[in-house]
Amino acid sequence: MPILSSIFFIAALAFAMTIGPQTRPWTWGPALLCLGLALGCGLRCRLQKDIRLPGPLLLILACVTAAWFATRALLSPVAEFGRADLLLLAAAVGAFCWVRTIDGHAKAQRIFHWGVAALLTSNLVVMVIQWKD
C-alpha cells in the first residue's frame, strides 16, 4: 500500500503543477482528490504497524503553525480567499501527514524521489522550450 500511496502522491503533485496553479479553488480538485487517495492508502498502511509520531518540538510547531494559518483564514475579510487558504492549508497538512506514512518504507520513498525528479525534469524541459520561444 505505501507504493500505491506514493504513486497517488506523485499524481497529486503532477495535477497541482499542471492544472492547479491558479487562484480558482475548483482547479485544485484533482490534486486534492489524489492527495486524499494517497492519505487513505498510507493511513491503512500506518494502522497495520506502530505509528511513530514526529518529535514533540516538530509536532508542536506544526500544530501552532497550522492553527495560526487556519485562524487567519477563518478571520479573513474576504470569505472566498479564506476558503482558498484553508484548502491550501489542508493540502499542506495532508502532505506533512503523508510524508510520515512512508517513513521507513524504502520502495515508497524511492518512488517518491524518482517521481519528484521526473516532475522537475519535465518542468525544466518546459522552461527551456519557453526560453527558446
Side-chain angles (χ1 to χ4, degrees):
M1 274 310 217
I3 294 170
L4 187 59
S5 180
S6 287
I7 292 169
F8 279 132
F9 192 78
I10 292 299
L13 289 178
F15 281 133
M17 284 175 47
T18 54
I19 56 177
Q22 300 178 24
T23 56
R24 293 173 289 192
W26 63 267
T27 61
W28 307 337
L32 289 176
L33 180 65
C34 285
L35 178 62
L37 290 171
L39 283 170
C41 291
L43 182 63
R44 181 168 181 231
C45 173
R46 292 302 284 182
L47 291 177
Q48 292 173 351
K49 62 181 186 178
D50 293 334
I51 296 176
R52 195 179 86 214
L53 293 175
L57 182 62
L58 178 63
L59 196 57
I60 290 170
L61 185 63
C63 288
V64 168
T65 304
W68 184 80
F69 276 109
T71 303
R72 295 286 299 174
L74 289 171
L75 298 177
S76 174
V78 181
E80 187 174 330
F81 290 157
R83 277 192 299 272
D85 288 345
L86 285 174
L87 279 174
L88 288 173
L89 179 63
V93 169
F96 177 80
C97 293
W98 178 82
V99 167
R100 301 299 303 165
T101 64
I102 66 162
D103 185 30
H105 197 279
K107 216 174 213 181
Q109 289 174 343
R110 207 170 313 118
I111 290 171
F112 171 65
H113 292 148
W114 281 106
V116 169
L119 291 173
L120 175 66
T121 303
S122 65
N123 229 1
L124 289 173
V125 167
V126 170
M127 185 181 74
V128 168
I129 290 170
Q130 288 177 344
W131 179 66
K132 285 184 178 181
D133 286 345

